[in-house]
Amino acid sequence: VDEVTCFDADEDRMALLQESTDANGHENVRIVDKYVDSLDDFTEDGFPDLVLMGIEGFEFSVLPVSPDVLQHGPLWVTEVHK
C-alpha cells in the first residue's frame, strides 16, 4: 500500500490511531480529523484501491454521494448497520 488516509473526528480514536501509527513506524499514513460526507471530496490525489469503512450506520449516507469512487471500483471492506 502506497498511502493510507484515515478519517475520524473523534479525538480519542484519533490519538490512538496516531500513537499506533508512530509506534509502528508507518510513514505513509495521513490522518484527517473530520467526518466524511463524500469520498469523492478526497480524490484530488487519485482514487483509492481499497476502502475500509466503519462509520456506524452512515454507510448509506456516504455511498450515494460518492459516485466517482464507486465507479472507480475499489475493493470495499465495510461494516453495515441496519
Side-chain angles (χ1 to χ4, degrees):
V1 175
D2 292 327
E3 181 180 320
V4 176
T5 303
C6 304
F7 303 94
D8 203 323
D10 182 275
E11 291 181 21
D12 293 334
R13 283 192 302 257
M14 292 295 292
L16 287 172
L17 180 59
Q18 187 65 61
E19 181 181 325
S20 176
T21 300
D22 294 343
N24 289 292
H26 297 300
E27 297 178 2
N28 64 337
V29 178
R30 177 174 63 143
I31 301 173
V32 179
D33 62 343
K34 68 180 289 181
Y35 289 112
V36 176
D37 294 320
S38 170
L39 296 173
D40 288 352
D41 294 340
F42 299 93
T43 59
E44 64 274 356
D45 294 328
F47 290 96
D49 295 317
L50 169 69
V51 176
L52 171 61
M53 184 168 27
I55 53 177
E56 307 304 319
F58 290 96
E59 295 83 4
F60 294 110
S61 297
V62 171
L63 294 175
V65 296
S66 303
D68 295 339
V69 170
L70 287 168
Q71 187 173 12
H72 178 70
L75 176 64
W76 289 85
V77 178
T78 186
E79 170 184 57
V80 179
H81 293 261
K82 292 184 180 183

